[in-house]
Amino acid sequence: PEACKALRGFYDAIGAKDESPSFADTSSTCCAFLDVRCTQPDGSPSPPLGQKEGWKAGATLTKIKFRGGTELGGSGTLPGALLLPLAGTLEYLDLGKDGDRSFSGTLPAELAQLTALQKLSLTTGKFSGTIPHQLGRLPALEKVTLLSKRLSGTVPGELCHRSDGSLRKLVLDDNVKLSGTLPPECFLLPTLEEISAKKTRISGTLPSKITAPLRLLILEEVSLSGSVPEELCKGEKLEELVLRRANRVSGTLPTECLSHDTITKIDLKRTKVGGTIPSLDKAVPKLKTLDLSNSDVSGTLPASVDMFSGLEYLAVDRTKLYG
């Protein structure tokens, strides 16, 4: 009951209205809300979505995910304090896609008190201020997605300080005022699989040491310099390497990147990456996109390019390739 009371207060504060019949019945469980998920106290299956019957006393509210089942108000700040009664149970907070609602103001410090939080997704584009460094204290945090054109400051290293943590995904795209370097600790985190910070003012150099098991590294339209570390392409999971328009990145294209068993996309368009395309001695069936246009890649296009058996898009225009 206390959790539902807190949730209804949160909905009222942001002008949200769940479209389930249970929303109008204040005596009904909030577990029947369309954009809320709860867990039964004994682990038994939950009732069908939107059904208020079948929930047992002690059911725990674990997820708030605005995805079409909630009518949202126009704009306003995010009242983080109203979420504190859910601090020990809320695992998932997703306030919808950009355009659903334009939250403004700063990211509330109370988010760092949601100790059970595993996923935080705030993509409704008008948050300002800095990223709270206290988020790095959340022991269960796995996925952070903060998309805004007004967040400023730097990426707090605390996000990647917990070697015993569980952070797997860090997405900071479109924060055009976000600057400074990406914390080197992130590239060493044993759990981190995805880093994306495209269209930011991130600068500095690509770290030479990368031990995180990255699947995706997307640093498009940033001011990073340095070269693509060979260590990155020696990992077992890499699927996408996108440094498009990171026009200060240089060095040579590591052979390991092109022959990687799991790689699906390499985009180095408008970088200063040079070197040659190596001859391959094995098929690379998963690579679908290879864009080296406007780069400094040179030499001949090897006959073994046929080894890219799954290739759907190849761009090598405005390079020094011939043949």
Side-chain angles (χ1 to χ4, degrees):
E2 287 301 315
C4 283
K5 182 179 178 180
L7 182 66
R8 287 182 179 275
F10 178 74
Y11 272 49
D12 288 344
I14 64 174
K17 179 181 178 182
D18 193 272
E19 295 181 356
S20 69
S22 298
F23 186 77
D25 180 5
T26 56
S27 64
S28 178
T29 175
C30 59
C31 291
F33 290 5
L34 297 179
D35 283 347
V36 165
R37 301 292 181 273
C38 295
T39 302
Q40 295 276 42
D42 57 0
S44 59
S46 301
L49 186 65
Q51 180 175 309
K52 61 182 180 180
E53 294 81 13
W55 288 104
K56 300 179 180 180
T60 304
L61 195 160
T62 56
K63 295 184 181 181
I64 301 173
K65 182 180 180 181
F66 290 160
R67 282 293 185 272
T70 306
E71 180 183 335
L72 297 172
S75 62
T77 59
L78 179 60
L82 295 179
L83 293 173
L84 290 182
L86 310 177
T89 61
L90 189 64
E91 300 173 356
Y92 196 118
L93 179 60
D94 183 341
L95 297 184
K97 299 178 180 179
D98 191 22
D100 290 344
R101 176 187 168 86
S102 296
F103 286 103
S104 58
T106 59
L107 296 175
E110 291 89 352
L111 291 174
Q113 298 183 50
L114 303 179
T115 53
L117 201 63
Q118 297 174 13
K119 179 174 179 178
L120 175 63
S121 181
L122 304 176
T123 62
T124 50
K126 290 186 179 180
F127 285 110
S128 58
T130 59
I131 300 172
H133 66 87
Q134 296 93 337
L135 291 178
R137 300 175 186 168
L138 296 176
L141 194 61
E142 295 182 3
K143 300 179 181 181
V144 177
T145 302
L146 303 174
L147 309 185
S148 173
K149 295 182 179 179
R150 299 184 182 183
L151 286 177
S152 57
T154 59
V155 181
E158 288 85 350
L159 283 174
C160 300
H161 274 182
R162 293 185 65 103
S163 60
D164 63 338
S166 52
L167 187 65
R168 294 192 292 114
K169 178 179 179 180
L170 180 60
V171 179
L172 303 170
D173 299 344
D174 300 320
N175 290 295
V176 295
K177 296 183 179 181
L178 197 64
S179 59
T181 61
L182 281 172
E185 300 93 331
C186 293
F187 293 93
L188 304 176
L189 204 60
T191 55
L192 194 57
E193 298 179 349
E194 180 176 345
I195 299 175
S196 184
K198 63 184 180 182
K199 298 182 181 179
T200 65
R201 293 183 182 177
I202 295 294
S203 58
T205 60
L206 282 168
S208 58
K209 186 174 180 61
I210 296 179
T211 58
L214 291 175
R215 290 190 307 104
L216 278 70
L217 180 60
I218 303 174
L219 300 173
E220 179 181 335
E221 293 188 40
V222 297
S223 296
L224 281 170
S225 57
S227 58
V228 181
E230 291 187 13
E231 201 170 23
L232 172 64
C233 302
K234 291 180 180 178
E236 298 178 355
K237 297 183 178 181
L238 187 66
E239 296 175 12
E240 293 189 18
L241 172 61
V242 179
L243 299 173
R244 184 184 184 93
R245 297 178 186 267
N247 53 23
R248 297 172 61 192
V249 173
S250 57
T252 59
L253 177 64
T255 302
E256 290 86 353
C257 290
L258 285 170
S259 58
H260 204 285
D261 290 336
T262 59
I263 197 75
T264 62
K265 182 176 183 178
I266 297 176
D267 188 343
L268 301 176
K269 180 177 182 177
R270 294 195 179 181
T271 65
K272 294 181 180 179
V273 172
T276 60
I277 297 179
S279 295
L280 302 174
D281 56 9
K282 67 173 185 177
V284 186
K286 293 188 177 181
L287 184 64
K288 297 184 181 298
T289 299
L290 178 59
D291 192 340
L292 303 174
S293 57
N294 291 88
S295 71
D296 288 343
V297 173
S298 59
T300 60
L301 194 62
S304 61
V305 74
D306 291 339
M307 292 288 193
F308 298 131
S309 54
L311 201 62
E312 297 176 357
Y313 181 81
L314 172 64
V316 294
D317 53 298
R318 298 185 182 181
T319 64
K320 299 175 182 177
L321 284 168
Y322 60 90

